[in-house]
Coordinates of all heavy atoms in Angstrom, one line a residue:
I223 N -56.2 57.6 6.0 CA -56.0 58.5 4.9 C -56.3 57.8 3.6 O -56.0 56.7 3.4 CB -54.4 58.9 4.8 CG1 -54.0 59.5 6.2 CG2 -54.2 59.8 3.7 CD1 -52.5 59.8 6.3
S224 N -56.9 58.6 2.7 CA -57.1 57.9 1.3 C -55.9 58.3 0.5 O -55.5 59.3 0.4 CB -58.4 58.3 0.8 OG -58.5 59.7 0.6
L225 N -55.5 57.2 -0.1 CA -54.2 57.2 -0.9 C -54.4 58.1 -2.2 O -55.5 58.1 -2.7 CB -53.7 55.9 -1.3 CG -53.4 54.9 -0.2 CD1 -52.9 53.6 -0.8 CD2 -52.3 55.5 0.7
N226 N -53.3 58.8 -2.6 CA -53.5 59.3 -4.0 C -53.2 58.3 -5.0 O -52.9 57.2 -4.7 CB -52.6 60.6 -4.0 CG -51.1 60.3 -4.0 OD1 -50.6 59.2 -4.5 ND2 -50.3 61.2 -3.4
Q229 N -49.8 56.6 -5.0 CA -49.6 55.7 -3.9 C -50.4 54.5 -4.1 O -49.9 53.4 -3.9 CB -50.1 56.4 -2.6 CG -49.1 57.5 -2.1 CD -49.7 58.2 -0.9 OE1 -50.9 58.6 -0.9 NE2 -49.0 58.5 0.0
G250 N -39.7 57.9 -4.3 CA -40.6 59.1 -4.2 C -40.1 60.3 -3.6 O -39.2 60.1 -2.6
V251 N -40.3 61.4 -4.1 CA -39.7 62.7 -3.6 C -40.0 62.8 -2.0 O -41.0 62.2 -1.6 CB -40.2 63.9 -4.3 CG1 -39.8 63.9 -5.8 CG2 -41.8 64.0 -4.3
T252 N -39.2 63.6 -1.3 CA -39.5 63.8 0.1 C -40.9 64.3 0.4 O -41.3 65.3 -0.3 CB -38.5 64.7 0.8 OG1 -38.2 65.8 -0.2 CG2 -37.3 64.0 1.1
G253 N -41.6 63.7 1.2 CA -42.9 64.1 1.5 C -44.0 63.6 0.6 O -45.2 63.9 0.6
S254 N -43.6 62.6 -0.2 CA -44.5 61.9 -1.2 C -45.4 61.0 -0.6 O -46.3 60.4 -1.2 CB -43.8 61.5 -2.4 OG -42.9 60.5 -2.0
G255 N -45.1 60.6 0.7 CA -46.0 59.6 1.3 C -45.5 58.2 1.2 O -46.3 57.3 1.0
K256 N -44.2 58.0 1.1 CA -43.6 56.7 1.0 C -44.0 55.8 2.3 O -44.3 54.7 2.2 CB -42.1 56.7 1.0 CG -41.7 57.3 -0.4 CD -40.1 57.3 -0.5 CE -39.4 58.3 0.4 NZ -39.7 59.7 0.1
T257 N -43.9 56.5 3.5 CA -44.2 55.7 4.7 C -45.6 55.2 4.7 O -45.9 54.2 5.1 CB -43.9 56.6 5.9 OG1 -42.7 57.3 5.7 CG2 -44.0 55.9 7.2
E258 N -46.5 56.1 4.1 CA -47.9 55.6 4.0 C -48.0 54.3 3.1 O -48.8 53.4 3.4 CB -48.8 56.7 3.4 CG -50.2 56.5 3.6 CD -50.7 56.4 4.9 OE1 -50.2 57.1 5.8 OE2 -51.6 55.6 5.2
Y260 N -45.6 52.2 2.7 CA -45.1 51.0 3.6 C -46.2 50.5 4.3 O -46.4 49.2 4.6 CB -43.9 51.4 4.5 CG -42.7 52.1 3.9 CD1 -41.9 52.9 4.7 CD2 -42.3 51.8 2.7 CE1 -40.8 53.5 4.3 CE2 -41.1 52.5 2.1 CZ -40.4 53.3 2.9 OH -39.3 53.9 2.5
R290 N -45.0 56.1 14.9 CA -45.9 56.1 13.8 C -46.6 54.8 13.6 O -47.7 54.6 13.4 CB -45.2 56.5 12.6 CG -45.9 57.6 11.7 CD -45.0 58.2 10.7 NE -45.8 58.6 9.5 CZ -45.3 59.0 8.5 NH1 -43.9 59.3 8.4 NH2 -46.0 59.2 7.5
D346 N -35.8 51.6 4.4 CA -36.0 53.0 4.3 C -34.8 53.8 4.0 O -33.8 53.5 4.8 CB -36.8 53.5 5.6 CG -37.4 54.9 5.4 OD1 -37.7 55.3 4.2 OD2 -37.6 55.6 6.3
L403 N -43.2 58.0 -7.0 CA -44.2 59.0 -6.4 C -43.6 60.4 -6.7 O -42.6 60.7 -6.1 CB -44.3 58.8 -4.9 CG -44.6 57.3 -4.4 CD1 -44.7 57.4 -2.8 CD2 -46.0 56.9 -4.9
A407 N -47.4 64.4 -1.1 CA -48.7 64.1 -0.5 C -49.2 65.3 0.2 O -48.5 66.2 0.6 CB -48.6 62.9 0.4
G408 N -50.5 65.3 0.5 CA -51.1 66.5 1.2 C -50.9 67.7 0.4 O -50.9 67.8 -0.8
H573 N -38.9 65.7 10.3 CA -40.0 66.5 9.8 C -40.0 67.8 10.6 O -40.2 67.8 11.7 CB -41.3 65.7 9.9 CG -42.4 66.3 9.4 ND1 -42.6 66.6 8.0 CD2 -43.6 66.8 9.9 CE1 -43.7 67.2 7.8 NE2 -44.4 67.4 8.9
R613 N -42.4 71.7 4.1 CA -43.2 70.4 4.2 C -44.6 70.7 4.7 O -45.3 69.8 4.5 CB -42.4 69.4 5.0 CG -41.2 68.9 4.3 CD -40.4 67.9 5.1 NE -41.1 66.8 5.6 CZ -41.0 65.5 5.1 NH1 -40.3 65.3 4.1 NH2 -41.6 64.5 5.7
Ligands
ADP801 P1 -42.1 60.5 2.9 O1 -41.8 59.2 3.8 O2 -42.3 60.1 1.4 O3 -41.1 61.6 3.1 P2 -44.4 60.7 4.5 O4 -45.0 59.3 4.4 O5 -43.7 60.9 5.8 O6 -43.6 61.0 3.3 O7 -45.6 61.7 4.2 C1 -45.5 63.1 4.4 C2 -46.8 63.6 5.0 O8 -47.9 63.5 4.1 C3 -47.2 62.9 6.2 O9 -47.6 63.9 7.1 C4 -48.3 62.0 5.8 O10 -49.2 61.8 6.9 C5 -48.9 62.8 4.7 N1 -49.6 61.9 3.7 C6 -49.1 60.8 3.1 N2 -50.0 60.3 2.3 C7 -51.1 61.1 2.3 C8 -52.3 61.2 1.5 N3 -52.6 60.2 0.6 N4 -53.1 62.1 1.8 C9 -52.8 63.2 2.6 N5 -51.7 63.1 3.4 C10 -50.8 62.2 3.2

Side-chain angles (χ1 to χ4, degrees):
I223 300 178
S224 55
L225 298 181
N226 64 34
Q229 284 173 318
V251 297
T252 37
S254 59
K256 292 184 288 295
T257 313
E258 194 58 41
Y260 304 154
R290 226 164 145 182
D346 192 26
L403 306 178
H573 185 60
R613 286 177 57 107

